[in-house]
Amino acid sequence: MKRPGEITVFLSLSLLCIFALLCVMVEGARTAGSRYYFQVAANGSLDTLFSQYHRELWKQYRVLGLPYESEQDIIQRLDSYVEHYLAVENWYPMRLEAIDMKACDALTDQEGDFFIQEVLDYMKFGIWDQLEVVPEEGESFWKDIREASAAGTVTESYSGQEREVQRLEDCTERIVSCVQKQEGYAQVLGRSLADDDADTFYREAKNFRREAGRMDSLLEAYEKRAQQLKQAISRSQRKMEDLQEAFQEDRKEMFDQQMNPYDAYVEEDGRRYQELVHQKNISLKNLDLLDETEELVEQLEEAYEYGKEEDETEESFSLEPAARCWEGFISTTLTLNIGKGDKEKQGFLEQVQRLVEGGLLQMVLPDGMEVSKGVIKAKNLPSHHQGETGGSGRSMADHVLINEYCSKYFLHALSQEKREVQYELEYLLHGKKTDQENLEETVTQLFLIRQGMNMIYLLSDSGKQEEARALAAVITGVTGLAPLLEIVAGFILVVWAMGESMMDVRDLLSGGTVPLWKERGDWKLSLDGLLEMGKEKACIKGTDENPEGRGFSYETYIKLMLLVRDGKKKQLRMMDMVQMNIQRAEAGFSLDRCAYRVDIQGRAVGRHMFFNLPVVEHFVHGEKGYPLEAVAERAY
């Protein structure tokens, strides 16, 4: 007997729909899990990759970097790590299609910004109590060093001006001496004519012509020196205008006052020049008078000789007409006198200048200290193929931390540890190829800073200025121009600052300390000591050895100088030192092949697990798999 099956069919179809719905729902949940699992695989693979940081780079410099040969090398390593995740038998079967590299930033990219970020991340955790210069003081020290460098530059320009003044005074002395000799010869000519001594007259007339004939060349040399002085003063004024923003207002006024004697000197020199031109004209008139007198002497001699031949009588020979003619000689109108000052002391001061200009490093190098012969030979350093322009855009606090890092991990001239290239901090400052060049540049810059600081102190100390004026009076003696005394006094202050600065740099290289801003008790060099320095042609020992150790060390001064150094250049050179030092043990090491950040996109195909029913396959159009994507990024 046949029974109706409608209910069975209906129930079967209903259950089929219910199971299909459940399969779709479970597959949808599982698919979402697959996407999450693939993302976990991508993230975990990057974590595994980044755990393989360069151990020596971290050990020596506390910088994390992922070494790699090429971007394909990173992709292959990530492929293998992701495959470990996908090989696990679980509810998320899938097949990896590819891993695409979206970005791979090396530590050297962006001119070392990523490298410096690693440095700052390290410096900002755990060592604040060890900082010698705290970040809050960075701006103040930056202004001090900037002002000191500007003051040192201006001080050097004053030295050049004084040299031109002295050369102009030498020209004046030569003209005055020439005029005085003419006066002396004129007196001898007058006496020879009065004594009827023609031979003496001819001889002294030749000497007079020689001296008077020099007036043109002497005055031309004077004009040239006067023009060079004006140019030197103009250059100094422009330099002061360019650097005036670096000065505090009161200190700018002090340096401006140093220019006043030069302006007055040039103004009075204009009047003196007119006097010298007038004297040249007088010399020309006297030469014409000498020609006339000499012609008359010759006529008198001829007449005397002719008379003797005609009547053979002995008549007395007389040059009285010529003597009356020579009475028309015009005496000098010069009111100038050649100074009777102490030229030896001036020579000692000039010798101190030559010590600085001739070989500063040898003058300040302590006994027993040898200069490293290190040479930077490494190729393909980060600074070789990166632009070294533009500021870093970082805060002053960051710069302070970076400089502290440099002093912690890089050597300098006084470091106890020795390396093939020893002067690493000096290289950060100047980037030269040899240790000696970098030390020479550092010593020169350090001297410039100390010279500026010391000059500021001298200009604020009335007692020191009075000492300088007293010595200037001894050196100049009687002078033609009143402002010359102030100019020489200013020159003494400049040389005094130079001498003190040489001693400061020598103390720093000896391991001592020097205050940034000196007080009265910190000054080491007396004026007698300054003259002795010029006499001995050597840097002498000062009167104060700073027993309390007040001030900053050589290393701290370098850190302060780094504050005003171009940030990009500094960080590129930091990477040079890091790479070069690690290459000594690992020849192929390169920071260009140390990744800081990796950004990837993974693609995979997931397999359906609950779509095996034909009806379900029909619902999903027979798809056997579905695409999966995962984006991941890691940075140290």
Side-chain angles (χ1 to χ4, degrees):
M1 181 178 67
K2 292 183 178 180
R3 296 181 180 181
E6 294 88 348
I7 295 176
T8 302
V9 173
F10 176 76
L11 181 60
S12 298
L13 291 174
S14 298
L15 290 175
L16 181 61
C17 291
I18 291 171
F19 283 127
L21 178 60
L22 289 175
C23 286
V24 170
M25 292 175 62
V26 173
E27 183 67 12
R30 197 198 62 80
T31 301
S34 297
R35 299 185 190 282
Y36 178 75
Y37 185 75
F38 187 47
Q39 185 67 56
V40 169
N43 291 338
S45 298
L46 274 180
D47 290 337
T48 301
L49 180 70
F50 270 63
S51 69
Q52 300 170 6
Y53 56 86
H54 196 282
R55 295 309 192 259
E56 198 62 26
L57 180 60
W58 169 256
K59 180 181 177 181
Q60 291 191 33
Y61 295 102
R62 290 298 185 262
V63 172
L64 293 170
L66 173 66
Y68 68 97
E69 293 296 329
S70 63
E71 291 187 1
Q72 189 61 36
D73 170 47
I74 293 179
I75 292 174
Q76 290 176 356
R77 288 152 71 180
L78 286 173
D79 281 345
S80 65
Y81 302 147
V82 172
E83 287 291 355
H84 282 293
Y85 282 89
L86 304 190
V88 176
E89 294 184 2
N90 54 23
W91 289 94
Y92 310 115
M94 61 185 73
R95 172 177 53 82
L96 179 65
E97 280 196 336
I99 292 179
D100 300 323
M101 183 73 70
K102 295 177 65 178
C104 180
D105 295 322
L107 286 171
T108 56
D109 287 349
Q110 296 186 17
E111 297 180 309
D113 284 347
F114 296 130
F115 174 87
I116 292 300
Q117 189 58 51
E118 287 279 290
V119 169
L120 290 173
D121 289 343
Y122 167 69
M123 291 296 293
K124 288 177 180 178
F125 297 98
I127 62 168
W128 285 91
D129 57 337
Q130 303 175 19
L131 298 183
E132 189 172 7
V133 178
V134 297
E136 290 79 4
E137 297 177 344
E139 191 73 27
S140 175
F141 282 122
W142 177 80
K143 290 180 180 178
D144 287 343
I145 296 299
R146 185 165 171 257
E147 183 176 23
S149 298
T153 301
V154 173
T155 300
E156 283 188 343
S157 69
Y158 288 158
S159 176
Q161 289 175 196
E162 195 283 335
R163 188 180 289 113
E164 292 299 332
V165 168
Q166 189 56 52
R167 289 171 177 170
L168 188 60
E169 287 298 310
D170 291 341
C171 289
T172 304
E173 289 186 7
R174 285 193 286 270
I175 293 175
V176 172
S177 176
C178 179
V179 171
Q180 290 176 345
K181 288 180 180 180
Q182 291 178 53
E183 292 286 328
Y185 292 140
Q187 293 177 8
V188 175
L189 287 170
R191 287 195 297 271
S192 65
L193 291 174
D195 296 339
D196 299 326
D197 186 353
D199 292 337
T200 301
F201 173 82
Y202 287 129
R203 184 177 64 251
E204 295 304 317
K206 186 181 298 183
N207 292 333
F208 185 92
R209 281 195 178 89
R210 184 184 67 249
E211 289 300 324
R214 294 175 57 215
M215 288 295 290
D216 274 336
S217 60
L218 290 175
L219 193 59
E220 183 179 345
Y222 180 94
E223 293 170 350
K224 182 178 179 180
R225 288 299 179 192
Q227 185 62 33
Q228 290 175 344
L229 173 60
K230 292 177 182 178
Q231 292 173 355
I233 293 174
S234 179
R235 285 194 299 269
S236 295
Q237 290 173 339
R238 289 196 303 269
K239 190 170 294 183
M240 188 64 192
E241 290 174 359
D242 294 339
L243 298 173
Q244 62 181 349
E245 292 183 359
F247 288 94
Q248 296 183 23
E249 190 60 33
D250 57 337
R251 291 170 185 156
K252 179 179 179 299
E253 291 178 1
M254 288 192 304
F255 279 92
D256 285 339
Q257 289 175 3
Q258 285 293 101
M259 292 296 300
N260 293 338
Y262 289 96
D263 294 335
Y265 180 90
V266 171
E267 183 178 350
E268 290 195 25
D269 181 65
R271 293 191 289 270
R272 180 172 67 176
Y273 174 71
Q274 296 301 323
E275 188 176 355
L276 294 177
V277 170
H278 180 63
Q279 178 59 46
K280 185 192 78 168
N281 294 332
I282 289 176
S283 296
L284 292 176
K285 291 180 180 179
N286 287 333
L287 276 176
D288 292 338
L289 180 64
L290 180 62
D291 291 339
E292 182 181 346
T293 303
E294 190 171 27
E295 184 178 356
L296 185 56
V297 170
E298 292 174 353
Q299 292 175 356
L300 291 171
E301 280 188 318
E302 290 177 0
Y304 176 73
E305 293 296 332
Y306 179 78
K308 285 176 59 179
E309 292 177 358
E310 288 295 323
D311 53 20
E312 297 182 355
T313 59
E314 290 290 337
E315 293 184 3
S316 61
F317 178 68
S318 174
L319 296 177
E320 182 179 355
R324 287 197 301 270
C325 179
W326 186 244
E327 288 176 356
F329 175 81
I330 305 173
S331 296
T332 180
T333 60
L334 284 179
T335 59
L336 308 176
N337 294 311
I338 298 178
K340 305 297 182 181
D342 193 333
K343 298 299 183 183
E344 184 181 37
K345 286 185 172 60
Q346 181 173 346
F348 291 156
L349 295 176
E350 292 173 351
Q351 181 59 44
V352 174
Q353 274 189 302
R354 288 192 286 271
L355 290 178
V356 174
E357 297 168 354
L360 181 60
L361 179 59
Q362 296 304 317
M363 287 294 106
V364 300
L365 205 65
D367 296 335
M369 181 178 178
E370 296 184 359
V371 178
S372 168
K373 303 301 182 183
V375 178
I376 299 175
K377 301 177 181 178
K379 297 180 180 180
N380 298 320
L381 293 176
S383 64
H384 290 178
H385 51 83
Q386 295 272 5
E388 291 195 18
T389 58
S392 63
R394 300 189 182 276
S395 67
M396 185 56 64
D398 284 347
H399 282 295
V400 172
L401 291 177
I402 292 169
N403 293 344
E404 288 293 335
Y405 173 88
C406 292
S407 69
K408 183 177 177 67
Y409 289 101
F410 296 114
L411 304 183
H412 54 79
L414 305 187
S415 297
Q416 296 300 315
E417 182 182 350
K418 301 301 178 183
R419 294 177 186 164
E420 182 179 342
V421 174
Q422 179 71 17
Y423 306 153
E424 296 177 340
L425 286 180
E426 291 84 351
Y427 175 78
L428 301 188
L429 279 171
H430 306 291
K432 302 298 182 181
K433 298 307 178 185
T434 66
D435 272 347
Q436 179 163 343
E437 288 178 302
N438 285 313
L439 184 59
E440 288 175 347
E441 292 289 336
T442 300
V443 165
T444 298
Q445 184 179 354
L446 189 54
F447 172 82
L448 186 68
I449 290 172
R450 286 306 324 154
Q451 180 178 246
M453 293 289 192
N454 291 330
M455 190 64 184
I456 290 173
Y457 171 78
L458 288 173
L459 293 178
S460 64
D461 189 324
S462 58
K464 291 283 192 294
Q465 293 183 63
E466 286 301 321
E467 290 183 53
R469 290 192 185 95
L471 180 58
V474 173
I475 289 176
T476 56
V478 179
T479 60
L481 297 183
L484 185 61
L485 178 65
E486 290 298 322
I487 290 176
V488 174
F491 168 68
I492 293 171
L493 292 177
V494 169
V495 179
W496 204 352
M498 287 182 176
E500 182 78 4
S501 301
M502 279 198 290
M503 297 173 65
D504 288 344
V505 176
R506 185 181 178 89
D507 286 347
L508 290 172
L509 290 176
S510 300
T513 58
V514 175
L516 195 61
W517 295 105
K518 289 190 174 183
E519 299 175 357
R520 184 178 297 273
D522 299 318
W523 196 263
K524 297 185 286 290
L525 184 62
S526 65
L527 273 181
D528 290 338
L530 180 65
L531 294 173
E532 181 185 350
M533 184 181 291
K535 182 178 180 180
E536 298 296 330
K537 300 180 181 180
C539 184
I540 64 173
K541 181 176 288 189
T543 57
D544 178 22
E545 294 303 312
N546 194 14
E548 299 180 358
R550 196 176 77 84
F552 293 142
S553 65
Y554 173 79
E555 180 181 309
T556 305
Y557 269 97
I558 289 185
K559 289 189 288 187
L560 295 180
M561 288 190 287
L562 284 171
L563 285 177
V564 297
R565 183 60 58 195
D566 180 275
K568 290 292 187 180
K569 290 183 179 181
K570 178 171 62 180
Q571 59 197 47
L572 287 170
R573 292 167 184 170
M574 288 171 65
M575 293 189 295
D576 287 349
M577 288 293 100
V578 170
Q579 178 170 308
M580 188 175 65
N581 287 331
I582 294 181
Q583 280 180 346
R584 293 194 178 95
E586 186 181 336
F589 175 79
S590 174
L591 283 174
D592 284 338
R593 285 294 175 259
C594 284
Y596 168 79
R597 182 176 71 91
V598 172
D599 187 359
I600 62 170
Q601 181 179 27
R603 292 181 288 111
V605 176
R607 296 203 310 270
H608 292 299
M609 293 185 64
F610 296 97
F611 284 0
N612 292 331
L613 295 176
V615 65
V616 177
E617 290 184 359
H618 177 72
F619 289 158
V620 294
H621 306 292
E623 293 181 3
K624 299 298 183 181
Y626 50 91
L628 297 172
E629 286 189 359
V631 176
E633 177 186 346
R634 287 292 181 274
Y636 285 120

